[in-house]
Amino acid sequence: MTQGPLDTARRAALLTGAAGIMFAATSRASSDGDTGTQDPAQHLMRLLEDPAARARVRTKIVGSIAPETVYTFCRLHIYLWRNDGNLQPLYTLQNLSAATWRALPNGHYAATQREAGVYTQFDTDELLEQWRNPVTDDVREPFHFRGGPISIEIGPDGVITGAGATLKPRSMRLDVLGDTVLLPTESAFSFPTPFKEQEWPKEAGDPTYYWDSHYLFAARIAEILDESVSFARSVVQYQNLISFHPWMGMGKTPGRTYGKALGVKLGALAELPVAVGALFEAKTPEIFDLSTWQPTREFGDYMQQWKPGA
């Protein structure tokens, strides 16, 4: 089953940037006269001049330079924006991604990524079983989802995209502040919605579906430079501004949802909060056993599983 535009936008944005270190470059720097007393930030910036080092850097903070699966957990707090007034809290999406990494012969790194999302009451771990639309007063059933797999390749300057790719994430300036590396990215994407108003009057919305996403990865320099560490325990923060998801049943309501996510790369699944783990076990257990994973398409799956107006 092929991925749809929404799947591409969400998951490719997740892997658009980060910083790390190339350990071969570390050895080269030492042979060039580095005594080990150089300021860590200066040492990192010097290493990043090497393209192969930059590829390794980005991969270490986003994922892993070792052949392993890395989980990232975020709580995405979602608000209603109606093109006027203040944001209105709606609900929270508990989001767990699993990316399995490998090195490529060209010095780049690739991942096969899957993710799951479970909706909860705003800023809680209480499952959202029904949701009352504050605009239409309709009671809707949340669409807990699985996404992927998708394939990602990371090179010296970020995600590698082909000439025909519709989503081309843009890496912004890497910044080193104190003992922390910050790497922001931005993505913008739009595509024709597959939902037709005649058949899906509550779900269709505008003819074009819009997606804007801004990410920030933060990691400690000491961890990036540590040769014994295969991946940095990065803090992840992102915002997105997205057309209303069909499950909300917003119809022609003007506006979008605004999301603010906070999370980290997990050292192990045991670090996932117990209450959150129970949510994924109940709604998307495949995220814990990737051998059982079946390919998904978010909008396509919705059309197959839901009826118009449901």
Side-chain angles (χ1 to χ4, degrees), residues 31 41 51 56 73 87-88 116 123 126 170-171 208 214 217-218 235 240 258 270 275 278 294 296-297:
S31 65
R56 197 168 172 102
F73 172 66
L87 298 173
Q88 179 181 349
D123 199 21
E126 181 183 350
R170 189 176 78 88
S171 295
T208 301
H214 293 207
F217 291 84
V235 172
N240 56 36
Y258 167 82
Q294 296 297 317
T296 65
R297 294 179 302 128

mmCIF file of all heavy atoms in Angstrom, residues 31 41 51 56 73 87-88 116 123 126 170-171 208 214 217-218 235 240 258 270 275 278 294 296-297:
data_model
loop_
_atom_site.group_PDB
_atom_site.id
_atom_site.type_symbol
_atom_site.label_atom_id
_atom_site.label_comp_id
_atom_site.label_asym_id
_atom_site.label_seq_id
_atom_site.Cartn_x
_atom_site.Cartn_y
_atom_site.Cartn_z
ATOM 1 N N SER A 31 44.795 14.089 14.876
ATOM 2 C CA SER A 31 46.049 13.984 14.135
ATOM 3 C C SER A 31 46.492 15.330 13.598
ATOM 4 O O SER A 31 47.659 15.522 13.287
ATOM 5 C CB SER A 31 45.870 13.003 12.973
ATOM 6 O OG SER A 31 44.929 13.505 12.029
ATOM 7 N N ALA A 41 32.450 23.244 22.192
ATOM 8 C CA ALA A 41 31.642 23.882 21.153
ATOM 9 C C ALA A 41 32.484 24.183 19.920
ATOM 10 O O ALA A 41 32.055 23.940 18.784
ATOM 11 C CB ALA A 41 31.002 25.157 21.695
ATOM 12 N N PRO A 51 31.608 17.302 5.407
ATOM 13 C CA PRO A 51 30.267 16.860 5.013
ATOM 14 C C PRO A 51 29.866 15.507 5.600
ATOM 15 O O PRO A 51 28.718 15.324 6.017
ATOM 16 C CB PRO A 51 30.350 16.804 3.481
ATOM 17 C CG PRO A 51 31.437 17.762 3.127
ATOM 18 C CD PRO A 51 32.440 17.653 4.233
ATOM 19 N N ARG A 56 26.606 12.397 9.817
ATOM 20 C CA ARG A 56 26.624 11.591 11.042
ATOM 21 C C ARG A 56 26.041 12.377 12.212
ATOM 22 O O ARG A 56 25.334 11.832 13.063
ATOM 23 C CB ARG A 56 28.071 11.169 11.327
ATOM 24 C CG ARG A 56 28.223 10.013 12.300
ATOM 25 C CD ARG A 56 29.651 9.511 12.255
ATOM 26 N NE ARG A 56 29.924 8.529 13.286
ATOM 27 C CZ ARG A 56 29.981 7.214 13.069
ATOM 28 N NH1 ARG A 56 29.740 6.743 11.866
ATOM 29 N NH2 ARG A 56 30.257 6.395 14.051
ATOM 30 N N PHE A 73 9.009 9.947 21.699
ATOM 31 C CA PHE A 73 7.672 10.181 22.243
ATOM 32 C C PHE A 73 7.437 11.670 22.425
ATOM 33 O O PHE A 73 8.278 12.382 22.981
ATOM 34 C CB PHE A 73 7.492 9.480 23.596
ATOM 35 C CG PHE A 73 6.207 9.853 24.287
ATOM 36 C CD1 PHE A 73 4.976 9.491 23.737
ATOM 37 C CD2 PHE A 73 6.232 10.574 25.463
ATOM 38 C CE1 PHE A 73 3.793 9.854 24.362
ATOM 39 C CE2 PHE A 73 5.050 10.937 26.104
ATOM 40 C CZ PHE A 73 3.826 10.578 25.549
ATOM 41 N N LEU A 87 -6.285 31.182 20.738
ATOM 42 C CA LEU A 87 -6.333 29.742 20.554
ATOM 43 C C LEU A 87 -7.257 29.114 21.594
ATOM 44 O O LEU A 87 -7.303 29.547 22.752
ATOM 45 C CB LEU A 87 -4.934 29.143 20.689
ATOM 46 C CG LEU A 87 -3.885 29.600 19.672
ATOM 47 C CD1 LEU A 87 -2.522 29.040 20.049
ATOM 48 C CD2 LEU A 87 -4.271 29.161 18.267
ATOM 49 N N GLN A 88 -7.960 28.055 21.194
ATOM 50 C CA GLN A 88 -8.875 27.337 22.085
ATOM 51 C C GLN A 88 -8.397 25.900 22.235
ATOM 52 O O GLN A 88 -8.339 25.156 21.253
ATOM 53 C CB GLN A 88 -10.297 27.358 21.513
ATOM 54 C CG GLN A 88 -11.306 26.609 22.355
ATOM 55 C CD GLN A 88 -12.702 26.637 21.740
ATOM 56 O OE1 GLN A 88 -12.952 27.383 20.783
ATOM 57 N NE2 GLN A 88 -13.609 25.829 22.257
ATOM 58 N N ALA A 116 2.543 5.967 15.698
ATOM 59 C CA ALA A 116 1.171 5.778 16.160
ATOM 60 C C ALA A 116 0.746 7.008 16.934
ATOM 61 O O ALA A 116 1.573 7.693 17.554
ATOM 62 C CB ALA A 116 1.075 4.528 17.040
ATOM 63 N N ASP A 123 -4.113 17.810 27.641
ATOM 64 C CA ASP A 123 -3.068 17.828 28.660
ATOM 65 C C ASP A 123 -3.278 16.780 29.744
ATOM 66 O O ASP A 123 -2.938 16.990 30.908
ATOM 67 C CB ASP A 123 -2.951 19.227 29.276
ATOM 68 C CG ASP A 123 -1.614 19.445 29.978
ATOM 69 O OD1 ASP A 123 -0.661 18.717 29.653
ATOM 70 O OD2 ASP A 123 -1.534 20.334 30.852
ATOM 71 N N GLU A 126 -5.837 10.736 29.760
ATOM 72 C CA GLU A 126 -7.161 10.110 29.746
ATOM 73 C C GLU A 126 -7.638 9.947 28.302
ATOM 74 O O GLU A 126 -7.764 10.927 27.560
ATOM 75 C CB GLU A 126 -8.157 10.953 30.538
ATOM 76 C CG GLU A 126 -9.560 10.359 30.582
ATOM 77 C CD GLU A 126 -10.548 11.250 31.318
ATOM 78 O OE1 GLU A 126 -10.101 12.223 31.959
ATOM 79 O OE2 GLU A 126 -11.761 10.969 31.235
ATOM 80 N N ARG A 170 13.297 22.206 4.935
ATOM 81 C CA ARG A 170 14.441 23.117 4.881
ATOM 82 C C ARG A 170 15.100 23.198 6.247
ATOM 83 O O ARG A 170 14.474 23.575 7.233
ATOM 84 C CB ARG A 170 13.997 24.517 4.452
ATOM 85 C CG ARG A 170 15.168 25.459 4.177
ATOM 86 C CD ARG A 170 14.681 26.804 3.667
ATOM 87 N NE ARG A 170 14.181 27.648 4.732
ATOM 88 C CZ ARG A 170 14.935 28.483 5.462
ATOM 89 N NH1 ARG A 170 16.242 28.555 5.237
ATOM 90 N NH2 ARG A 170 14.408 29.230 6.403
ATOM 91 N N SER A 171 16.381 22.820 6.297
ATOM 92 C CA SER A 171 17.138 22.951 7.535
ATOM 93 C C SER A 171 17.518 24.412 7.747
ATOM 94 O O SER A 171 17.909 25.109 6.807
ATOM 95 C CB SER A 171 18.406 22.093 7.488
ATOM 96 O OG SER A 171 18.083 20.724 7.425
ATOM 97 N N THR A 208 -8.116 22.393 -0.756
ATOM 98 C CA THR A 208 -6.684 22.200 -0.535
ATOM 99 C C THR A 208 -6.409 21.984 0.943
ATOM 100 O O THR A 208 -6.913 22.720 1.800
ATOM 101 C CB THR A 208 -5.881 23.408 -1.031
ATOM 102 O OG1 THR A 208 -6.133 23.598 -2.421
ATOM 103 C CG2 THR A 208 -4.386 23.190 -0.829
ATOM 104 N N HIS A 214 7.165 23.248 12.113
ATOM 105 C CA HIS A 214 8.467 23.782 12.511
ATOM 106 C C HIS A 214 9.003 22.954 13.672
ATOM 107 O O HIS A 214 8.355 22.870 14.724
ATOM 108 C CB HIS A 214 8.344 25.247 12.927
ATOM 109 C CG HIS A 214 7.992 26.164 11.803
ATOM 110 N ND1 HIS A 214 8.341 27.490 11.788
ATOM 111 C CD2 HIS A 214 7.324 25.956 10.637
ATOM 112 C CE1 HIS A 214 7.910 28.069 10.670
ATOM 113 N NE2 HIS A 214 7.280 27.143 9.964
ATOM 114 N N PHE A 217 15.293 20.345 17.450
ATOM 115 C CA PHE A 217 15.971 19.291 18.197
ATOM 116 C C PHE A 217 17.058 19.948 19.047
ATOM 117 O O PHE A 217 17.764 20.838 18.562
ATOM 118 C CB PHE A 217 16.624 18.275 17.259
ATOM 119 C CG PHE A 217 15.648 17.432 16.504
ATOM 120 C CD1 PHE A 217 15.070 17.893 15.332
ATOM 121 C CD2 PHE A 217 15.311 16.173 16.959
ATOM 122 C CE1 PHE A 217 14.175 17.119 14.613
ATOM 123 C CE2 PHE A 217 14.412 15.387 16.255
ATOM 124 C CZ PHE A 217 13.836 15.856 15.085
ATOM 125 N N ALA A 218 17.211 19.500 20.274
ATOM 126 C CA ALA A 218 18.241 20.037 21.166
ATOM 127 C C ALA A 218 18.981 18.875 21.827
ATOM 128 O O ALA A 218 18.354 17.932 22.309
ATOM 129 C CB ALA A 218 17.622 20.945 22.225
ATOM 130 N N VAL A 235 16.037 16.408 23.054
ATOM 131 C CA VAL A 235 14.730 16.987 23.350
ATOM 132 C C VAL A 235 14.127 17.424 22.018
ATOM 133 O O VAL A 235 14.815 17.968 21.151
ATOM 134 C CB VAL A 235 14.856 18.188 24.307
ATOM 135 C CG1 VAL A 235 13.518 18.917 24.459
ATOM 136 C CG2 VAL A 235 15.364 17.714 25.663
ATOM 137 N N ASN A 240 2.867 22.948 14.719
ATOM 138 C CA ASN A 240 2.329 22.824 13.375
ATOM 139 C C ASN A 240 1.017 23.594 13.241
ATOM 140 O O ASN A 240 0.335 23.862 14.231
ATOM 141 C CB ASN A 240 2.165 21.362 12.940
ATOM 142 C CG ASN A 240 1.321 20.547 13.885
ATOM 143 O OD1 ASN A 240 0.359 21.037 14.453
ATOM 144 N ND2 ASN A 240 1.670 19.273 14.041
ATOM 145 N N TYR A 258 -3.753 24.397 15.563
ATOM 146 C CA TYR A 258 -2.376 24.724 15.928
ATOM 147 C C TYR A 258 -1.929 23.688 16.950
ATOM 148 O O TYR A 258 -2.640 23.416 17.931
ATOM 149 C CB TYR A 258 -2.294 26.127 16.527
ATOM 150 C CG TYR A 258 -0.971 26.420 17.211
ATOM 151 C CD1 TYR A 258 0.144 26.814 16.478
ATOM 152 C CD2 TYR A 258 -0.832 26.280 18.593
ATOM 153 C CE1 TYR A 258 1.358 27.066 17.097
ATOM 154 C CE2 TYR A 258 0.380 26.537 19.220
ATOM 155 C CZ TYR A 258 1.465 26.923 18.473
ATOM 156 O OH TYR A 258 2.662 27.170 19.095
ATOM 157 N N ALA A 270 10.897 1.219 28.072
ATOM 158 C CA ALA A 270 10.536 1.216 29.492
ATOM 159 C C ALA A 270 10.402 2.634 30.042
ATOM 160 O O ALA A 270 9.776 2.837 31.085
ATOM 161 C CB ALA A 270 11.574 0.435 30.297
ATOM 162 N N ALA A 275 0.927 5.055 31.909
ATOM 163 C CA ALA A 275 -0.426 5.346 31.427
ATOM 164 C C ALA A 275 -0.463 5.497 29.921
ATOM 165 O O ALA A 275 -1.413 5.059 29.259
ATOM 166 C CB ALA A 275 -0.966 6.609 32.103
ATOM 167 N N ALA A 278 -0.187 2.100 28.159
ATOM 168 C CA ALA A 278 -1.471 1.394 28.166
ATOM 169 C C ALA A 278 -2.378 1.884 27.044
ATOM 170 O O ALA A 278 -3.130 1.095 26.448
ATOM 171 C CB ALA A 278 -2.151 1.566 29.520
ATOM 172 N N GLN A 294 1.380 -3.582 9.436
ATOM 173 C CA GLN A 294 0.876 -3.560 8.071
ATOM 174 C C GLN A 294 0.907 -2.129 7.554
ATOM 175 O O GLN A 294 0.582 -1.190 8.286
ATOM 176 C CB GLN A 294 -0.556 -4.106 8.010
ATOM 177 C CG GLN A 294 -0.671 -5.579 8.409
ATOM 178 C CD GLN A 294 0.096 -6.484 7.467
ATOM 179 O OE1 GLN A 294 0.051 -6.316 6.242
ATOM 180 N NE2 GLN A 294 0.815 -7.449 8.034
ATOM 181 N N THR A 296 0.110 1.490 6.092
ATOM 182 C CA THR A 296 -1.100 2.288 6.285
ATOM 183 C C THR A 296 -1.048 3.555 5.437
ATOM 184 O O THR A 296 0.019 4.016 5.039
ATOM 185 C CB THR A 296 -1.261 2.709 7.760
ATOM 186 O OG1 THR A 296 -0.188 3.587 8.116
ATOM 187 C CG2 THR A 296 -1.256 1.507 8.685
ATOM 188 N N ARG A 297 -2.232 4.106 5.183
ATOM 189 C CA ARG A 297 -2.389 5.421 4.566
ATOM 190 C C ARG A 297 -3.448 6.145 5.390
ATOM 191 O O ARG A 297 -4.597 5.716 5.443
ATOM 192 C CB ARG A 297 -2.839 5.308 3.108
ATOM 193 C CG ARG A 297 -1.817 4.673 2.175
ATOM 194 C CD ARG A 297 -2.377 4.585 0.755
ATOM 195 N NE ARG A 297 -3.619 3.820 0.741
ATOM 196 C CZ ARG A 297 -4.744 4.264 0.192
ATOM 197 N NH1 ARG A 297 -4.812 5.470 -0.337
ATOM 198 N NH2 ARG A 297 -5.828 3.506 0.196
#
